[in-house]
Amino acid sequence: MFPGFTLRSIEVGPGIALRVRTGGSGPPLLLLHGNPQTHAMWHKVAPALAARFSVVCPDLRGYGFSSKPPPSPDHAAYAKRAMAADMVALMQQLGFDRFRLVGHDRGARVGHRLMLDHPDRVERAALLDIIPTLEHFERAGVDFAMGYHHWFFLAQPAPYPETLIAADPRFWLLSHSGRHGVPPDFFAPEAFEDYLAALRAPGTIAAICEDYRAAAGIDLEHDRTSRAAGQRITCPLLVLWGAQGRVGAWYDVPEIWRLYATDLRGAAIPSGHYLAEEAPAETLAALLAFL
């Protein structure tokens, strides 16, 4: 799926190694995936991006075949702050002090925190199909609670969600993606098998739940602190969302992001939630024009 790319494991800190696929040449570009996927979600756009950029596609900590730190009462190991620090360390290991960034879903949330904690690192960024985590929770109503009920299910105390998902990981993966309107056979077979193999790997389910527990706890603390301090994204920011997806139906995406960014542009893509897999040509065109 990634012709000309190299797959390897790179240590970014004590006990943390990331599965990373790299390819291409030119300015560095970091691609961050969402839940419950792996870096394989970029397979339709990464090869074209590699013609112009040095593309870096990692599995986030806890996801795919990257390290999965043990859970903790404060869920700090899965805070977006910790995940963002991984990405800064990864890019430094590869020789890149500054880079461009594209994030989807959970990866976009990591990217948001990275731009707040490390504003000197990101030259420009694109965030796909999200609004800030804090805004989701503060604006939550029936539509969000029913449509994104996995946010509340996965954040429940262990071992409740872990036990239910582990009973049939394939069913959970299909039902999770199906809620976003794609049919069971939508994903490329190689990509789906990577998602499923990762989900079945020891520690992944617990890590995903910890990610969502962090989102409902320590991440909100960090986000509120940043907002109170007046922190905003200062680099050029592109927000893309699926024209048939829920985020665009529930929110005025650019209006919300203008509260968080000083240099913003945005556009709807003719897709649902999985922009890079549902509408790769349109997504690629928007990214290339911006990046």
Side-chain angles (χ1 to χ4, degrees), residues 124-125 232-238 260-265 290:
R124 54 182 52 220
R232 303 181 80 199
I233 296 170
T234 55
C235 70
L237 177 66
L238 172 69
Y260 290 82
T262 60
D263 184 354
L264 178 76
R265 63 224 67 187
F290 172 73

Side-chain angles (χ1 to χ4, degrees), residues 2 14 22 25 28 30 56 70 84 92 133 162 165 169-170 197 202 213 219 254 269 288 291:
F2 291 84
T22 58
S25 60
L30 177 64
V56 180
Q92 284 183 316
T133 303
E162 290 93 331
I165 296 169
R170 187 176 188 276
R213 290 171 186 136
D219 286 344
I269 298 295
L288 286 173
L291 295 171

